[in-house]
Amino acid sequence: MTAEYATRYRTRSHIPAEPGVPYFIEKGMGDRAHLFGDLVTIYAGGEQTENTFNFFTVEGPKGDIIPAHVHPDTYEVFYITDGAVRLFAEDLEGNQYEKLLTPGDFGFVPKNCPHAYRIERHHSRVVGVAAGPGGTFERFFENLGVPAEQLGLPHQPVIPEPGKFATVPQQYDVRFLPDHQWRTQ
């Protein structure tokens, strides 16, 4: 059983807004958002961890590559629990890497390194953890996408207006790279 709390982001949440409160969340009952064709579920964020890390899942169908982006102050982890996800990453010298990750595989992207991913099989799920000196970025998902009260994938992909991508770096540690080219594809 879980308790519900109101947060400054949502009228109800299963995540307590204050740090220092132990809590438990049943599968899928975190704060949910739809972005692109995916369902993002946040289980812990900056509010609970004093901006030290977040913990979330992304699940979705086989689809297009997520836009290339960089986190100037955040390290990001990708752990695959279901399906297959192709991770694209570039190091600080411009060397590009591409790896198909399947259940049990792990990917790590340091801060300031461009990256993107593409879900390669339907019903894939990524467990994500992000941490860094600049705080956490998990609330970006529901601000660029839309909060979702129901479980499940969006019925139609949620594609933000192009101008909305430019507003994200002002609030969250995410900068999109619209002209970035992956040479590894």
Side-chain angles (χ1 to χ4, degrees):
M1 176 178 256
T2 60
E4 291 189 17
Y5 304 87
T7 71
R8 62 185 178 145
Y9 303 102
R10 302 176 156 268
T11 57
R12 65 186 186 124
S13 172
H14 295 280
I15 305 172
E18 307 82 27
V21 177
Y23 63 96
F24 307 92
I25 298 177
E26 295 173 6
K27 180 181 178 181
M29 296 307 293
D31 290 350
R32 296 178 296 276
H34 289 150
L35 181 57
F36 307 115
D38 301 339
L39 170 67
V40 178
T41 306
I42 300 165
Y43 292 92
E47 300 95 347
Q48 297 75 41
T49 67
E50 298 176 2
N51 284 322
T52 57
F53 74 94
N54 60 27
F55 184 96
F56 59 93
T57 60
V58 177
E59 53 190 290
K62 183 176 181 177
D64 295 328
I65 192 167
I66 298 302
H69 60 282
V70 65
H71 306 290
D73 287 320
T74 304
Y75 301 86
E76 190 169 5
V77 166
F78 294 78
Y79 181 81
I80 310 307
T81 60
D82 299 286
V85 175
R86 187 170 304 277
L87 181 60
F88 302 87
E90 184 174 305
D91 65 21
L92 297 175
E93 280 86 44
N95 299 307
Q96 292 190 356
Y97 306 86
E98 173 187 333
K99 178 72 175 166
L100 180 66
L101 302 172
T102 58
D105 290 344
F106 173 91
F108 174 76
V109 179
K111 68 179 183 174
N112 284 313
C113 290
H115 59 284
Y117 67 88
R118 180 175 59 223
I119 294 179
E120 297 284 355
R121 292 188 195 136
H122 291 297
H123 309 290
S124 293
R125 181 177 298 132
V126 178
V127 172
V129 176
T136 61
F137 63 76
E138 72 282 347
R139 296 300 172 183
F140 130 88
F141 296 115
E142 62 194 12
N143 283 281
L144 189 60
V146 295
E149 295 301 323
Q150 74 280 5
L151 294 171
L153 301 177
H155 296 291
Q156 296 292 324
V158 176
I159 309 298
E161 295 294 323
K164 199 167 183 184
F165 285 94
T167 66
V168 173
Q170 297 168 6
Q171 298 177 16
Y172 307 100
D173 189 35
V174 181
R175 184 170 50 89
F176 288 96
L177 308 169
D179 298 323
H180 193 79
Q181 298 294 314
W182 295 107
R183 299 179 302 273
T184 60
Q185 292 185 37

